[in-house]
Amino acid sequence: MEILAFGVQADERPLIERAFEGHHDVHCLDVFLTEDTALIAAGHEIVSTSVNAVLDHRVLQILAAGGTRMIAQRSTGFNNIDLEVAERLGLTVARVSYYSPYSVAEFAWTLAMAVNRRIVRASNRTRDFDFRLDGLMGRDLRGRTAGVLGTGKIGEAFTRIAHGFGMELLGWDVAENPACADLGMRYVEKERLFAESDLISLHVPLLPATRHVVDATALKAMKDDAILVNSSRGGLVDTDALVTELRAGRFTGVGLDVYEAEAGLFFLDKSLEVVEDDTLARLVTFPNVVVTSHQAYYTADAVGQIVDTTLRNVLDYTAGRRSENVLVPRTG
């Protein structure tokens, strides 16, 4: 059986091909799955997709009509998939429910330190042999307060690093993580977390209840010199409201690895095109903002685990097995 994999990055391709060798043939494409590219999958029973694929009702209908019966998503998040439509069409859907939480947690801290210590600005200056320190002053984080929204595996890993920095810890989640509590984390209402934290990092999934959890009200409640980091999902932050606060000169820094309208932009080279997204164009101009292209998960360790799990999901499907990774089970 030949499997068609959409949205495969150059570094990811050899890992996929090596993992599937001896099991199934896999054809890797660098294009993302959209309504325009879905017809390519015709005749492929199994399709593998990336986090930025568009799997709405129209795309799923095209896949099903072309003979696709199983979608193996190479990510933990699945807010891009219309699961109700997939079930109605008889499509099996599986995801990667776990990979190295350290990849994302460590990158979140990389963003936090980059904006706190003005690393991007300093690097750009020294490339021009400008070695002044004006405007590069940061702050010690020891003794300050880290607020963590979402204390699952990634949030816990982030919290452990914050504890190592000697920070006070505030957390917010639907359920407390005993490991975080053991580190001294106090669980509080999110309104208090926004108001009291010097550094806020987001590690919750994107659900209807968490969409724009960082909205205009939350942003106004934050300290003027706070640091905000989002390495989870772009839709957690109301970006227009964030731009408004940044224009008012607020916040020490903002580190974003995700953006709520990133589909069709991130993972692609748009350097020779006019980007029509005015919000993103404005966002990247602020000197205290660092935007990266959804790369927090992108380590050899994490991607290797993602690929291995995707292979297991495919093998489970062909063998008629069901695992905790299945979002929509096989019906036939």
Side-chain angles (χ1 to χ4, degrees):
M1 182 186 301
E2 183 179 75
I3 297 161
L4 192 62
F6 284 90
V8 177
Q9 303 297 314
D11 298 328
E12 184 185 15
R13 181 170 185 158
L15 297 177
I16 292 177
E17 293 176 340
R18 191 158 54 243
F20 277 79
E21 187 176 3
H23 298 284
H24 294 287
D25 294 330
V26 60
H27 182 53
C28 296
L29 301 176
D30 58 2
V31 298
F32 294 96
L33 180 59
T34 65
E35 185 174 345
D36 293 330
T37 62
L39 286 172
I40 302 173
H44 292 85
E45 182 177 349
I46 301 176
V47 167
S48 179
T49 60
S50 64
V51 67
N52 265 10
V54 178
L55 288 146
D56 57 17
H57 70 284
R58 180 60 184 151
V59 171
L60 293 173
Q61 288 172 344
I62 295 172
L63 291 177
T68 297
R69 293 294 174 265
M70 194 263 184
I71 297 168
Q73 174 126 312
R74 302 187 309 278
S75 73
T76 298
F78 53 90
N79 55 284
N80 60 319
I81 307 173
D82 192 326
L83 297 180
E84 292 184 2
V85 172
E87 184 174 14
R88 189 163 66 246
L89 293 171
L91 293 168
T92 300
V93 181
R95 63 160 177 163
V96 177
S97 58
Y98 174 85
Y99 61 85
S100 168
Y102 310 106
S103 60
V104 179
E106 291 172 6
F107 193 83
W109 269 102
T110 301
L111 288 175
M113 295 306 296
V115 296
N116 179 39
R117 302 306 302 268
R118 313 291 197 266
I119 298 299
V120 175
R121 182 186 297 180
S123 177
N124 289 337
R125 281 187 185 178
T126 56
R127 285 178 182 273
D128 293 329
F129 298 97
D130 179 352
F131 300 104
R132 293 172 300 161
L133 298 182
D134 296 346
L136 301 183
M137 184 175 288
R139 297 182 297 170
D140 289 0
L141 293 179
R142 181 177 179 82
R144 289 188 163 86
T145 300
V148 186
L149 275 81
T151 55
K153 293 182 177 66
I154 297 174
E156 178 186 332
F158 184 91
T159 299
R160 290 188 181 280
I161 299 172
H163 181 262
F165 270 89
M167 301 187 74
E168 300 294 323
L169 305 171
L170 296 180
W172 177 81
D173 208 328
V174 294
E176 296 187 10
N177 184 335
C180 292
D182 288 344
L183 294 171
M185 174 172 279
R186 291 174 291 141
Y187 281 85
V188 297
E189 295 298 318
K190 64 178 182 292
E191 291 78 11
R192 180 180 171 187
L193 185 149
F194 285 125
E196 297 184 9
S197 298
D198 300 291
L199 164 62
I200 296 172
S201 191
L202 310 182
H203 301 288
V204 294
L206 180 58
L207 303 168
T210 59
R211 182 167 187 81
H212 286 182
V213 66
V214 183
D215 58 9
T217 300
L219 289 164
K220 289 186 181 300
M222 290 169 56
K223 297 179 179 180
D224 287 343
D225 59 356
I227 294 171
L228 174 65
V229 174
N230 186 11
S231 57
S232 183
R233 288 293 181 268
L236 299 176
V237 177
D238 183 337
T239 316
D240 289 328
L242 175 61
V243 168
T244 297
E245 297 304 312
L246 288 166
R247 290 181 63 185
R250 300 189 64 222
F251 307 137
T252 289
V254 175
L256 303 175
D257 186 50
V258 288
Y259 173 60
E260 59 182 327
E262 68 182 54
L265 289 172
F266 282 21
F267 303 147
L268 300 172
D269 182 2
K270 297 290 184 178
S271 59
L272 299 180
E273 301 178 27
V274 175
V275 175
E276 298 179 356
D277 188 324
D278 292 338
T279 301
L280 179 61
R282 185 70 181 93
L283 191 63
V284 298
T285 65
F286 291 106
N288 57 334
V289 174
V290 172
V291 178
T292 52
S293 54
H294 207 138
Q295 70 182 80
Y297 78 99
Y298 206 54
T299 67
D301 309 84
V303 174
Q305 291 173 335
I306 289 169
V307 170
D308 289 344
T309 301
T310 301
L311 172 60
R312 289 198 302 273
N313 289 341
V314 168
L315 295 178
D316 285 344
Y317 166 81
T318 56
R321 297 187 297 263
R322 180 176 176 179
S323 73
E324 71 280 0
N325 296 322
V326 175
L327 299 169
V328 180
R330 183 172 183 172
T331 56

